Structure formats: structure tokens, C-alpha cells
Amino acid sequence: MANSSKSPVVPAKLFLPFILITSLFALWGFANAVTDPMVQAFKKVLELSNSQAAWVQMAFYGGYFCMALPAALFVRKYSYKTGVLIGLGLYAAGALLFYPAATSEQFWFFCLGLYILTFGLAFLETTANPYILSMGPAKTATQRLNLAQAFNPVGLLAGLLVAKFFILDKLRSDDIANYSQLEEVQKTIIRTTDLMSIRDPYVGLGLVVLIVFILIVVNKMPQAKEDGGIPPLSETFSALAGNKRYYFGVFTQIMYVGAQIMCWTYIYQYAESINISSSVAANYQLSAFVLFTAGRAIGTYLLKFMDPGRLLGIFAVLGVLSCTTVIFVEGTIGLYSLVATSLFMSVMFPTIYGIALEGLKEEESKIGAAGLVMAIVGGALMPKLQGMIIDLGGAAVDDYDILGVSEVNFSFILPVLCFVLIMIYGFWASKQRIDIQN
């Protein structure tokens, strides 16, 4: 059943608060995109092993996972605005720690900065998503969240461009094939210069976050708190545990985030299998981000006429078809299909989020949001499984065939399975809504 076009997506009186909170979606998208290439950057600059460099992602995802529930408990006791300010403060602090980290040239210091930064992101995601849902009529809540989430890929694009032009293109160590064999004096000079190149965008980001912090402090923001006091925490957990739409939604979100990170991370390995360099593959990833951005806008528009669950199910079907093409059609057509998958993924995170929290009380939404943010751990777990499939034949990405296709092609069976589960959840949720309305 379509949402009523007569209900405003964002009430006029909440337009400015909506804009300020929506800016947060771009800010955490920027942090995600600018940090992904840092694994390779730190590996070369600081002469780390692959497992050591992987601490970048461990720190990033670890901060999300560890802080999501504490953030929800904090917001539950206080207000959304307070939670947003705490998140922005931690975000800025983590980013600004890159300045002393670059001075000390200690890898653990950079990881600490990322860990604290993602404490802030966990606060922001746990707070901002349900905050947006509360800023207007319940019947347009999912459409409102898709509108706000449309600005997340804008941040992704900006982060990828900053990483490419202001960090990766400036790294002198990346231009030297025998960097590890240079004399220590030469390496020290190059290392210092490169770490400053890594440092500067993060410090600039920290200053931008502080400006947003000040804007939210000085503006009146809706509190969106319920009357009647805070119910016992056990009562809230019990209500969530008995809500199938919620806990199936958390599981589905784990699958979605895993699929997203797999499709974005292994685009480089897929390109390698057809003899496309990483620098050229980056252009395909940029194209994927552009389609992702466009998809968010298309999805927000379609929600005016379509039930959220049905839209989710249809986009998941298209994701299954696209990723199946990636597996069985080798060459550039398969790569194009992998890029196109981002268009179909675009609506999934906010739509799953909105469906899972639909109908929950305010206090239940605050705790429920934590589970959906903790589901981001799927981005750490699922790519590891895909990497294990790609490594079946050895170090190369296409030295072993499975069911007649190379291992890197076959590895995309994991996103296919994720999309199948997302499809099932979407159509099930749509049927549940229709049954309730009837």
C-alpha cells in the first residue's frame, strides 16, 4: 500500500533540524570512504604486513560494534540532541588525533584515532536514524529516512575523491618499488611526508565536524521524547525480542552490510582477474558510488507509491540477477554488472532500518537502533569469508575453478545469498503490513 502523498515527508517547522541531522549522514559516509584506502596506504608507508595493516578496519568496525549499545542506552536516558553532540565530539576528537599520531609516526596511535572516531560514528548512527524517523508522520517515516540516507553516498563520493587526490596521489612511498630497501634516512623523510598527507584530510574533517557541532548546539532541536518516563530496560528488551519484524531486520541488516562491503571491496580483485589495474578499477568503484547515490534518490521517490517491504524485495531480486551475472558472465560485462549492483543496494540499508523499527515506541526505537548499527559487523565478517573463497587456489584471484568459473567469480555467490535473504524479508514484511491493515 502506498504512502499517502498528503502527509508531509518533513513538516515545515522541522525543516532546519532535519537538514542539520541529515548532514550527519554525509559525514559518516565520508569517514567510511576515506578510511578504506588507508589499509594499503599504511601498509606501504609504515612497512606493515597485511595482517598488521588490517587493524585499520578492525579499529573502524570495532568502534562501531563496541559503542552502539552504550550509545543507545545513553540516548535512552537523555535526548537525541545530546546523543548527536556526544557523537560529533568523539568524531572530531578521533579525527584530530591524527595530528599527534603523524608526529609520533606510531601506527597504534592512528588506530586509536580511528577507534575513537568510530565511537562517534556509532553514536551518530544509533541516534540520527531513529531521530529522522521521529521528525514527522509515522506513515512517511521510511520515506523520510531514505531521503536523509540519500546524502550518505554524497559523503562516500567526497571521501573517495579526497582519498584519491589528497592522499593516495601524494604518497611518495607508493611510487617507489623498492621502498623497503632505501636507506633509513631516505625512508624517514618519505615516511614523514606521507604521514602528513594522511594526517591533513582527517584534521580538516575534524574541524568541519566541530562546525556542525556548534550549529546544532545553537539551534533548537526537537527532543522527540515520550511522556510517562522511561520503562524498565528489561521490558524494552523483552518487547524487541518478541518482535519478529525487528530481530529478522537485524539479521537482514547484517546480510546487507556484508553484501555491500563485499561488492565494494572485491571490485578490485574482479578487475584484476580481467587484467584491469587498480587505478583503473578505482574509476569503476567511483561509478558504483554514483549509481548508489542515484539509487537513493530513485528509491525515495518510489516510496511515495510503493510499500517499503515490496520495494526492498524488488530491489533484492534485481541484486540477485545482477550478482548472478557477475558469477557466470566473465569479462567486462561481469564487471559492469558488479558496478550496477550498487544501484540495487542503494535503498536497502534505510529501508530495512525503517521496516525493523516501524511501530516501535520511542524508547524501544532507541535500543532497537543499537542492534541495527551493531549489524554493521557484517561488513567485517562476510568479506573475510569471500576472501577465503578467493584464496582457495593460492595468491592469485583466478587460479582455481569452481563449477566452471574462476574462484573470484564464484565468490560472489555470497552476495547472491545475502540478497535472497533480503528479498525474503522484504516480501514477508510487505505481507505482514497488508495483513495488519486488513
Side-chain angles (χ1 to χ4, degrees):
M1 181 175 178
N3 287 325
S4 173
S5 59
K6 295 181 180 180
S7 298
V9 178
V10 183
K13 65 180 181 179
L14 297 178
F15 193 64
L16 180 57
F18 178 82
I19 291 175
L20 290 173
I21 300 303
T22 295
S23 71
L24 306 180
F25 291 75
L27 284 176
W28 72 63
F30 186 98
N32 277 270
V34 80
T35 300
D36 283 343
M38 293 305 100
V39 176
Q40 186 67 16
F42 279 122
K43 176 185 173 183
K44 190 68 180 284
V45 175
L46 297 177
E47 299 178 89
L48 305 173
S49 67
N50 285 301
S51 60
Q52 288 172 326
W55 277 102
V56 169
Q57 295 290 34
M58 289 295 291
F60 200 83
Y61 287 108
Y64 265 116
F65 186 77
C66 293
M67 187 51 68
L69 185 56
L73 293 174
F74 181 91
V75 173
R76 178 177 182 268
K77 184 175 181 180
Y78 297 99
S79 67
Y80 283 133
K81 180 176 180 178
T82 303
V84 167
L85 293 175
I86 294 292
L88 288 171
L90 289 168
Y91 188 163
L96 293 174
L97 276 178
F98 269 58
Y99 193 95
T103 302
S104 70
E105 300 187 355
Q106 296 296 312
F107 181 55
W108 68 265
F109 211 153
F110 286 103
C111 288
L112 177 63
L114 286 173
Y115 193 55
I116 294 174
L117 185 153
T118 48
F119 277 6
L121 297 186
F123 254 95
L124 294 180
E125 293 210 38
T126 302
T127 305
N129 285 291
Y131 203 2
I132 289 292
L133 290 174
S134 72
M135 287 186 179
K139 63 174 63 177
T140 57
T142 301
Q143 186 181 356
R144 187 163 49 253
L145 183 57
N146 268 275
L147 176 60
Q149 284 274 3
F151 289 85
N152 175 256
V154 174
L156 288 172
L157 287 169
L160 181 63
L161 292 174
V162 167
K164 176 176 172 55
F165 293 112
F166 293 95
I167 299 179
L168 299 179
D169 286 357
K170 290 186 175 183
L171 295 181
R172 295 174 59 191
S173 59
D174 200 40
D175 297 329
I176 303 173
N178 60 342
Y179 172 71
S180 61
Q181 299 175 12
L182 294 177
E183 293 184 5
E184 190 59 37
V185 174
Q186 292 176 291
K187 284 198 293 186
T188 299
I189 294 172
I190 294 173
R191 182 169 60 246
T192 300
T193 302
D194 282 1
L195 290 177
M196 287 182 180
S197 296
I198 293 173
R199 174 200 71 188
D200 291 345
Y202 280 91
V203 172
L205 176 60
L207 296 175
V208 170
V209 171
L210 286 177
I211 292 173
V212 177
F213 179 95
I214 293 170
L215 288 174
I216 292 179
V217 166
V218 300
N219 279 280
K220 185 176 181 180
M221 306 292 289
Q223 295 304 309
K225 291 183 69 67
E226 291 185 331
D227 296 327
I230 301 175
L233 190 58
S234 59
E235 181 180 314
T236 300
F237 278 120
S238 178
L240 292 174
N243 189 318
K244 291 183 179 180
R245 187 170 59 240
Y246 171 72
Y247 60 74
F248 285 162
V250 171
F251 176 76
T252 304
Q253 199 73 290
I254 292 173
M255 295 297 102
Y256 164 69
V257 177
Q260 181 197 79
I261 302 303
M262 285 189 286
C263 290
W264 287 353
T265 297
Y266 291 107
I267 194 170
Y268 293 94
Q269 283 80 354
Y270 196 93
E272 180 186 344
S273 72
I274 54 177
N275 300 315
I276 293 177
S277 68
S278 293
S279 60
V280 175
N283 295 327
Y284 285 95
Q285 186 177 35
L286 181 62
S287 299
F289 284 1
V290 170
L291 287 177
F292 192 75
T293 305
R296 282 277 168 88
I298 293 169
T300 301
Y301 176 75
L302 290 177
L303 281 170
K304 291 183 178 180
F305 316 104
M306 295 179 65
D307 174 83
R310 187 163 181 266
L311 179 69
L312 177 65
I314 291 172
F315 271 60
V317 169
L318 294 173
V320 169
L321 295 175
S322 179
C323 258
T324 301
T325 303
V326 174
I327 296 172
F328 293 108
V329 181
E330 299 182 328
T332 53
I333 294 178
L335 184 56
Y336 292 153
S337 296
L338 182 52
V339 171
T341 304
S342 289
L343 176 65
F344 309 130
M345 292 192 297
S346 60
V347 304
M348 293 183 180
F349 186 94
T351 304
I352 294 169
Y353 202 106
I355 293 170
L357 296 186
E358 184 179 5
L360 297 184
K361 297 177 181 178
E362 192 66 40
E363 300 303 328
E364 293 170 353
S365 291
K366 290 177 179 179
I367 299 299
L372 290 161
V373 173
M374 292 175 74
I376 290 173
V377 75
L381 302 177
M382 300 299 290
K384 177 66 173 176
L385 294 176
Q386 187 173 10
M388 291 170 65
I389 294 175
I390 296 173
D391 285 342
L392 283 176
V397 299
D398 56 355
D399 51 7
Y400 186 73
D401 283 354
I402 305 173
L403 298 181
V405 297
S406 68
E407 56 198 340
V408 68
N409 288 62
F410 183 80
S411 71
F412 283 91
I413 190 67
L414 292 180
V416 168
L417 294 175
C418 290
F419 290 135
V420 168
L421 293 172
I422 294 167
M423 174 192 70
I424 293 171
Y425 179 72
F427 288 133
W428 173 81
S430 179
K431 184 177 184 300
Q432 290 288 308
R433 173 181 278 198
I434 292 172
D435 290 344
I436 291 173
Q437 290 172 342
N438 291 335

